[in-house]
Amino acid sequence: MKILIDTYGADAGAQPIIDGTVKALEKRDFTPVFIGNDREIKLLIHDRIKNYEIIPTNEFVSNDEDPVRAIRKKKDASIVLAYEKSKEEGYDGVISAGSTGALLAGGLFLAGRIPGIKRACLAASIPSVNDEITLLMDTGANMDCKAEFLYEFALMGKVYLENVMNITNPKIGLLNVGVEEHKGNTLTKETYNLLKESNMNFTGNIEARDLLTGKVNVIVADGFDGNIAIKTTEGVLKTFASELKNIIYSSAKNKIAGAILKNDIKSLANKFSPDEVGGAPLLGVKSYVYKAHGNTNELAFSNAILGLINYIEMNVIEKIEGELNGN
Amino acid sequence: MKILIDTYGADAGAQPIIDGTVKALEKRDFTPVFIGNDREIKLLIHDRIKNYEIIPTNEFVSNDEDPVRAIRKKKDASIVLAYEKSKEEGYDGVISAGSTGALLAGGLFLAGRIPGIKRACLAASIPSVNDEITLLMDTGANMDCKAEFLYEFALMGKVYLENVMNITNPKIGLLNVGVEEHKGNTLTKETYNLLKESNMNFTGNIEARDLLTGKVNVIVADGFDGNIAIKTTEGVLKTFASELKNIIYSSAKNKIAGAILKNDIKSLANKFSPDEVGGAPLLGVKSYVYKAHGNTNELAFSNAILGLINYIEMNVIEKIEGELNGN
C-alpha cells in the first residue's frame, strides 16, 4: 500500500510528519510517498525508513490563501501533487496536516465527489466517557449547509462506522439547542424531518452538553457548528487542565497530592486528547483522504496514518457508493 | 424596588425560587412580587419574608409549548401576568426560570422592543481564566439571525458592560471558525464587515477554543451557535469534573490526595460554575427582564436577582436608547 504524505502544513514543520510516519511503520507495513522538499525529507528520515518515495516540490498552499484559487493556480503545491498522484494506479490514500480548505477544494476539484454526494465532510472522532465511538460531522469543511447535506453526512457516517468501526446500526443524533423535535433553526428543523423519514437509526436531537457522553455514534452538524463544538471542547479541556496544574503546583502539600494522582490524571488527559485519533477522514470524495491536525505531533500523525490505512482497507468509498445505490 | 418573580418553570419547582429570593433579601432590599400558586408560595415563605406581594395563578407556559401561541392564548400564565404587571408604575423588573421561548415571546409581544432594536437577545456571562468579564450573546433567543441582529447584540453588550460592569470600551469579538477575516459562513462574514465599520472596539474573530480565555468582553454569535458553545462548555466541565471525582474515589491513596486538594478544586469548580452568575439579562426589550437557569438553585437564583437589580439600577434600557440615538 502506498500512502501519499504531504510534508507541508503542520505547525511544527515536516519533523512530526516524518517521525509520525516512522512510528506508524512500526505497526503497519506501507510505502510512504513524501511530497515536499527532497533534501529536508531525506535529512529527517535519516536511514529510519527503508522503502519510500519522494515527490519533490517546494510549493504549498498556506492557511491564509483562498483555497479554491490556490488549488487552481499552484500546480506544484504539495496537496495538488498529492491529489493528482492519488488518481494513478497503486497510490492508495492521501494525508495532510495542511489547510483544511485546500484539502477540501482538492477533494472536490481534483479527486471529485462520489456520484450522488453533494458535499464532502470531515468526520472527527470525539472522546466519550463510556468509550462509545462518536463521530462529529461535519467539523469544518462546509460553512453554509442545506438539510440534504446534513442528511448525506449522517449516511456517510453510518457507512464509515459500520465498516471501519464495526458498529451495527449506529445511532444518529442531530446537534441542536434542545431535544424536542420543534427546537432549533431552519436548518436543523428541516434536517430533523429528513432524518426522521430515513431508514437510519435516528434518535433525535442531541444537545451540546451531551457531546462527550457517548449517547450516539454520529452527531450531525453543519461545518460551522461542528467546528464551534469541537473547538469549545478543546478549549475547555485545555483551560481546565491548566487550572488543575496551577492548583497542583501552588503549594508543597498540593505537589504531594499531585504526585499521587499524576498517572491517573495523565490517563484521563490521554483519553480526551485529540492526539489519540490524530485526524479525520474527508468523506464524500473519490480518493481516500485524511486530515491530520495542524498542530500534529509524532503520536497524532502516526495515529492518523493508521486511521487512514484502516479506512482504505475497509473500502468505505465503494460501500458509500453501494449505500447510495440502495445495495 | 419591586421585582416580579415567576415561581413556575424551574426544574425543582418553586422551592429554589423562594429560597433564592430569601437569600437575595439578605444582601439587597426590594419587594418580591411572586406570581404563582398562592398557598404554595405562602407555605414556602414560612414567615421568612416580611414585605411581599402575590399575584395568584395556577397557569404557566411549559417548555413543550409553542411559546408565541402560548403567550397569546394563556392570559393567566405566570409569565404573561408578570409582563403585564411590569408595565405598571412601580414594578421594576421581571425574573423567570421558565421557558426561554415564552420569556422572549413575552418580551417582544407584551413588553415590546426598544425602538430601533430588531431582536432581543440573552447575554450570558461566561467564566474566564483571567477573571475578565465576558458576555456571550446571543445564547439562545434567536435561531436564524441576520448580520444586523448580531451587530445590535454587540452594541447592547457594549452598553451593558460599560454601565453595569464599569468596563471602558469593551472588546468585541465575533465567534467564528478561524481568526482570519475571510473565515466563516455568510452570516459571520457579513457581520465582520458591519463590526469593522463600526465605532465599537471590534478586535476581530475569536475561535471557540478561546471562549474561557478572557480575550474579549463580548463574544457575538447567533442564538444557535451561542447555545452550542455555552452548552458544550457546560457539558465538558461536568464530564471532566465527574471523571476527576472518579479518579479521586478510585483508591485509598487517591482519596488522601483528593482530601488535600479538595478546597482548591472546589474553588476552581465554583469559578466555572454557572450558579455564580445565575442568569442572563434579556437585552433589547422595554422591560428589565432576567432569565434564570431552568436548573436553578438557591444560590443561582439569588445571584440572578442581584444581577437583575444591578441591571435596573444602571438604567441600561435608557442608555441603549441613548446609544441608538447617537447620544
Side-chain angles (χ1 to χ4, degrees):
Chain A
M1 184 182 289
K2 285 186 181 178
I3 306 286
L4 292 149
I5 300 172
D6 182 1
T7 65
Y8 282 112
D11 299 348
Q15 180 94 52
I17 307 290
I18 307 290
D19 291 352
T21 307
V22 171
K23 198 177 175 71
L25 281 163
E26 291 166 9
K27 297 209 173 171
R28 297 297 305 263
D29 187 35
F30 64 96
T31 306
V33 182
F34 297 106
I35 305 149
N37 183 284
D38 185 72
R39 200 166 154 265
E40 188 192 11
I41 292 168
K42 282 177 183 157
L43 267 171
L44 286 169
I45 291 177
H46 193 66
D47 288 340
R48 291 183 295 169
I49 305 175
K50 252 191 225 160
N51 296 313
Y52 66 90
E53 297 175 17
I54 292 180
I55 300 176
T57 184
N58 295 317
E59 201 171 32
F60 60 95
V61 179
S62 80
N63 266 314
D64 306 325
E65 294 175 85
D66 176 67
V68 176
R69 209 182 140 90
I71 283 290
R72 287 191 169 143
K73 294 235 162 165
K74 291 183 156 179
K75 298 294 177 203
D76 289 325
S78 55
I79 190 67
V80 174
L81 294 176
Y83 269 118
E84 293 301 351
K85 202 73 187 174
S86 76
K87 293 188 213 167
E88 287 180 25
E89 195 64 46
Y91 293 86
D92 301 280
V94 173
I95 186 164
S96 174
S99 155
T100 303
L103 200 72
L104 178 69
L108 299 178
F109 301 114
L110 304 174
R113 285 175 281 120
I114 293 174
I117 291 291
K118 288 177 201 72
R119 287 289 184 284
C121 83
L122 282 171
S125 285
I126 54 174
S128 74
V129 283
N130 58 2
D131 296 319
E132 271 289 336
I133 287 167
T134 305
L135 288 184
L136 176 62
M137 52 200 293
D138 178 22
T139 51
N142 305 281
M143 289 295 109
D144 292 289
C145 285
K146 293 179 182 173
E148 52 185 324
F149 305 165
L150 269 66
Y151 176 87
E152 287 177 0
F153 301 165
L155 190 80
M156 292 193 289
K158 168 185 138 70
V159 177
Y160 184 83
L161 287 178
E162 283 176 340
N163 290 284
V164 179
M165 303 292 183
N166 270 317
I167 298 178
T168 314
N169 212 12
K171 283 176 281 195
I172 316 276
L174 176 63
L175 187 65
N176 209 335
V177 299
V179 291
E180 300 88 350
E181 180 168 351
H182 68 272
K183 285 285 175 85
N185 55 19
T186 309
L187 176 66
T188 57
K189 285 177 194 168
E190 287 176 6
T191 307
Y192 192 102
N193 288 333
L194 287 182
L195 289 172
K196 201 175 65 172
E197 301 295 320
S198 77
N199 293 324
M200 286 182 263
N201 186 10
F202 177 53
T203 59
N205 292 323
I206 183 160
E207 285 193 276
R209 63 165 71 100
D210 277 324
L211 217 60
L212 307 184
T213 57
K215 281 193 178 171
V216 297
N217 304 114
V218 178
I219 299 178
V220 178
D222 84 354
F224 190 93
D225 300 314
N227 194 275
I228 297 295
I230 206 161
K231 282 191 184 150
T232 302
T233 304
E234 198 186 312
V236 174
L237 285 174
K238 207 173 156 184
T239 299
F240 205 84
S242 106
E243 294 280 297
L244 195 61
K245 210 171 162 181
N246 288 342
I247 285 178
I248 285 169
Y249 285 94
S250 67
S251 73
K253 215 175 56 178
N254 284 5
K255 273 181 200 161
I256 295 168
I260 296 173
L261 298 174
K262 197 179 161 191
N263 287 337
D264 288 330
I265 290 180
K266 213 169 170 179
S267 10
L268 175 61
N270 284 346
K271 182 173 173 181
F272 288 100
S273 163
D275 299 343
E276 285 304 303
V277 177
L282 180 68
L283 298 178
V285 297
K286 280 191 284 186
S287 295
Y288 287 92
V289 181
Y290 226 74
K291 168 78 179 88
H293 305 314
N295 61 356
T296 195
N297 56 31
E298 180 185 352
L299 173 67
F301 200 79
S302 163
N303 284 335
I305 290 181
L306 298 174
L308 171 59
I309 291 175
N310 216 357
Y311 173 36
I312 295 167
E313 286 181 340
M314 294 303 156
N315 294 309
V316 175
I317 294 178
E318 290 74 5
K319 282 168 184 155
I320 291 174
E321 287 171 342
E323 190 83 20
L324 289 168
N325 296 322
N327 300 330
Chain B
M1 184 183 287
K2 285 187 181 177
I3 307 286
L4 292 148
I5 300 172
D6 181 2
T7 64
Y8 283 111
D11 298 348
Q15 179 93 54
I17 307 290
I18 307 291
D19 292 350
T21 306
V22 171
K23 197 178 176 70
L25 280 163
E26 292 165 10
K27 298 208 173 171
R28 296 296 306 263
D29 186 35
F30 64 95
T31 305
V33 183
F34 297 106
I35 304 149
N37 183 284
D38 186 71
R39 200 164 156 267
E40 187 191 11
I41 292 168
K42 281 178 182 157
L43 267 170
L44 286 169
I45 290 175
H46 192 66
D47 287 341
R48 292 182 296 169
I49 305 175
K50 253 192 229 162
N51 296 312
Y52 66 89
E53 296 175 17
I54 292 179
I55 300 177
T57 184
N58 295 317
E59 201 172 33
F60 60 94
V61 179
S62 80
N63 265 313
D64 305 325
E65 293 176 85
D66 177 67
V68 176
R69 209 183 140 88
I71 282 289
R72 288 193 169 141
K73 294 236 162 168
K74 292 183 158 180
K75 297 294 177 202
D76 287 326
S78 55
I79 190 67
V80 174
L81 295 176
Y83 269 117
E84 292 301 351
K85 202 74 186 172
S86 78
K87 293 187 214 166
E88 288 179 25
E89 195 66 44
Y91 292 86
D92 301 280
V94 173
I95 185 164
S96 173
S99 153
T100 303
L103 199 73
L104 178 70
L108 299 178
F109 300 115
L110 304 175
R113 285 175 282 119
I114 294 174
I117 291 290
K118 287 175 203 74
R119 288 289 185 283
C121 83
L122 282 169
S125 285
I126 54 175
S128 73
V129 283
N130 59 2
D131 296 319
E132 273 288 337
I133 287 167
T134 306
L135 289 183
L136 175 61
M137 51 200 291
D138 178 25
T139 51
N142 304 280
M143 289 296 109
D144 291 290
C145 284
K146 293 179 182 174
E148 52 185 322
F149 304 166
L150 269 66
Y151 176 87
E152 286 177 0
F153 301 165
L155 190 81
M156 294 193 288
K158 169 186 137 73
V159 177
Y160 183 83
L161 287 178
E162 282 176 342
N163 290 286
V164 179
M165 303 293 183
N166 270 317
I167 298 177
T168 314
N169 212 11
K171 282 176 283 195
I172 317 275
L174 176 63
L175 186 65
N176 209 334
V177 299
V179 292
E180 300 88 350
E181 180 168 350
H182 69 273
K183 284 287 175 84
N185 55 20
T186 309
L187 176 66
T188 57
K189 285 178 193 168
E190 286 176 8
T191 306
Y192 192 102
N193 287 334
L194 287 181
L195 289 171
K196 200 175 67 174
E197 299 296 320
S198 77
N199 294 323
M200 287 182 262
N201 186 9
F202 177 55
T203 59
N205 291 324
I206 183 160
E207 286 193 274
R209 62 166 71 99
D210 278 323
L211 216 60
L212 306 184
T213 58
K215 281 193 177 170
V216 298
N217 304 113
V218 178
I219 299 178
V220 178
D222 83 355
F224 190 92
D225 300 314
N227 193 275
I228 297 294
I230 206 161
K231 283 191 185 150
T232 303
T233 303
E234 198 186 311
V236 174
L237 285 174
K238 206 174 155 187
T239 299
F240 205 83
S242 106
E243 294 278 300
L244 195 59
K245 210 170 162 184
N246 288 343
I247 285 179
I248 285 169
Y249 284 95
S250 66
S251 73
K253 214 175 56 176
N254 283 7
K255 274 181 199 160
I256 295 169
I260 297 173
L261 297 175
K262 197 180 163 191
N263 287 337
D264 287 332
I265 289 180
K266 213 170 171 180
S267 13
L268 175 61
N270 284 344
K271 182 172 173 181
F272 288 100
S273 163
D275 300 343
E276 285 304 304
V277 178
L282 180 68
L283 298 178
V285 297
K286 280 191 285 188
S287 294
Y288 287 91
V289 180
Y290 225 75
K291 168 78 181 88
H293 305 313
N295 60 356
T296 195
N297 56 31
E298 179 184 355
L299 173 68
F301 200 78
S302 163
N303 284 336
I305 290 181
L306 298 173
L308 171 59
I309 292 175
N310 214 359
Y311 172 36
I312 295 166
E313 285 182 340
M314 294 305 157
N315 293 310
V316 175
I317 294 177
E318 290 74 4
K319 282 168 185 156
I320 291 174
E321 286 171 341
E323 190 82 21
L324 289 169
N325 296 323
N327 300 332

